[in-house]
Amino acid sequence: MAIVLRAGIRPEDRDAVRRLVASSGFFSASEEEIAVELVDDALAKGERASGYHFIFAEEAGRPLGYVCFGPIAGTVASHDLYWIVVDNARRSGGVGRRLEAACAEAVRRLAGKRIYVDTSSRSQYEPTRAFYRACGYGEAARLDEFYGPGDGKVIFVKPLD
């Protein structure tokens, strides 16, 4: 079956986001709730007003992953990539790269010039950091102990041409 990308948010995406985030094994229960809160905000206010834009990768109508991104308030052309999550069973199959590329293209259409993404410095996240590097992101900053003892924040940036 072909993987299809779908922009926009629908009410049924709330459960899909919860399932996808939980399947990753990376995120805490509170982080899972944050992911769902962004869906709720986008559903309540609309993507433009909420600032949370979504693109889903689907196969036969079943979400395999998603990306959530939006403009950074107070900037002219900078955007945050808030979440990029692929069902754990479908990792390393190119779904994440397709979602990231679709995100970058959508940010370009929104006149964005840079995408920022934050992640943990813990060793568990080395594959995540390698993914961002492979997608053209460079490490812009590292904040030690940001999330907690031994858990710093790594900020990546991708300039868009």
Side-chain angles (χ1 to χ4, degrees):
M1 295 239 146
I3 295 173
V4 176
L5 298 181
R6 170 182 55 86
I9 192 79
R10 302 187 299 216
E12 59 269 27
D13 294 330
R14 187 176 198 279
D15 290 336
V17 163
R18 185 179 299 282
R19 179 185 59 78
L20 290 165
V21 171
S23 85
S24 76
F26 276 69
F27 304 108
S28 68
S30 63
E31 289 170 317
E32 185 179 312
E33 289 306 315
I34 291 168
V36 173
E37 285 173 16
L38 301 188
V39 171
D40 290 342
D41 202 41
L43 287 170
K45 298 177 185 173
E47 288 184 309
R48 187 165 298 279
S50 71
Y52 301 123
H53 300 264
F54 289 83
I55 301 172
F56 287 84
E58 299 177 330
E59 187 174 60
R62 177 177 164 78
L64 304 176
Y66 80 100
V67 62
C68 176
F69 59 95
I72 300 172
T75 70
V76 175
S78 295
H79 285 67
D80 266 326
L81 190 164
Y82 297 111
W83 291 86
I84 186 165
V85 180
V86 174
D87 186 295
N88 197 41
R90 298 302 294 262
R91 277 214 186 122
S92 301
V95 175
R97 282 184 182 256
R98 286 191 61 191
L99 285 166
E100 190 286 326
C103 170
E105 184 54 39
V107 169
R108 282 185 188 94
R109 283 194 308 274
L110 294 168
K113 301 294 183 199
R114 293 175 156 257
I115 301 174
Y116 291 87
V117 63
D118 305 343
T119 193
S120 170
S121 67
R122 292 188 327 216
S123 60
Q124 174 188 13
Y125 284 85
E126 182 49 42
T128 302
R129 294 188 298 274
F131 169 80
Y132 291 130
R133 287 185 202 100
C135 289
Y137 290 77
E139 189 174 316
R142 201 173 266 258
L143 308 174
D144 294 335
E145 311 288 317
F146 184 86
Y147 296 110
D151 190 5
K153 178 183 200 175
V154 183
I155 302 169
F156 287 90
V157 62
K158 180 177 182 173
L160 302 176
D161 299 321

